Amino acid sequence: MTTSKTGSLLTTHVLNTADGVPGARMALSLHRLDPQMALWNLVSKGTTDEDGQCSDLISRDEFTAGMYKLRFETRQYWESLCQSSFYPYIEIVFTITDLDQTFHLPLLLSRYSYSTYKGI
């Protein structure tokens, strides 16, 4: 199994495209869907660093195939900048099927829009 430059299997990077800066100090959480109960279980919590990056979201032992979501607490982030946002939080839901890959999920956001993609 290969890992990213940081050694993490799952990483994210938040970019504030409205201001052209990293999305620093944004709280986020990773959840895994329990398919039998149809409930999301918390895997970990984190905060982006000064470069808007967050790694170490999941340990190798916890990394299993399944459906996951990353939840970004965008209201708190924008309020810390004395701004408001249309989206109080953003959830990115994705499926892990190949455990031999690493996963990088960037989030590009402004106060009224966002986009994401699977990076390398």
Side-chain angles (χ1 to χ4, degrees), residues 13-103:
H13 189 185
V14 180
L15 297 170
N16 172 343
T17 58
D19 298 327
V21 297
R25 299 176 305 281
M26 183 181 295
L28 57 94
S29 55
L30 176 67
H31 307 258
R32 183 185 304 112
L33 182 65
D34 178 336
Q36 294 178 337
M37 299 295 290
L39 295 172
W40 291 103
N41 295 311
L42 179 67
V43 175
S44 65
K45 290 183 176 183
T47 304
T48 58
D49 63 18
E50 293 302 313
D51 293 326
Q53 298 182 34
C54 186
S55 57
D56 300 327
L57 291 169
I58 190 166
S59 71
R60 187 175 303 278
D61 293 338
E62 293 177 304
F63 194 65
T64 60
M67 189 174 299
Y68 291 81
K69 74 175 174 181
L70 266 175
R71 178 182 167 118
F72 298 85
E73 302 301 334
T74 51
R75 177 184 3 215
Q76 294 169 356
Y77 170 76
W78 290 110
E79 286 177 352
S80 75
L81 300 175
C82 299
Q83 299 180 42
S84 62
S85 173
F86 183 70
Y87 301 102
Y89 61 88
I90 295 170
E91 293 183 334
I92 301 171
V93 179
F94 56 98
T95 303
I96 302 285
T97 56
D98 184 354
L99 298 177
D100 291 327
Q101 290 187 22
T102 58
F103 298 87

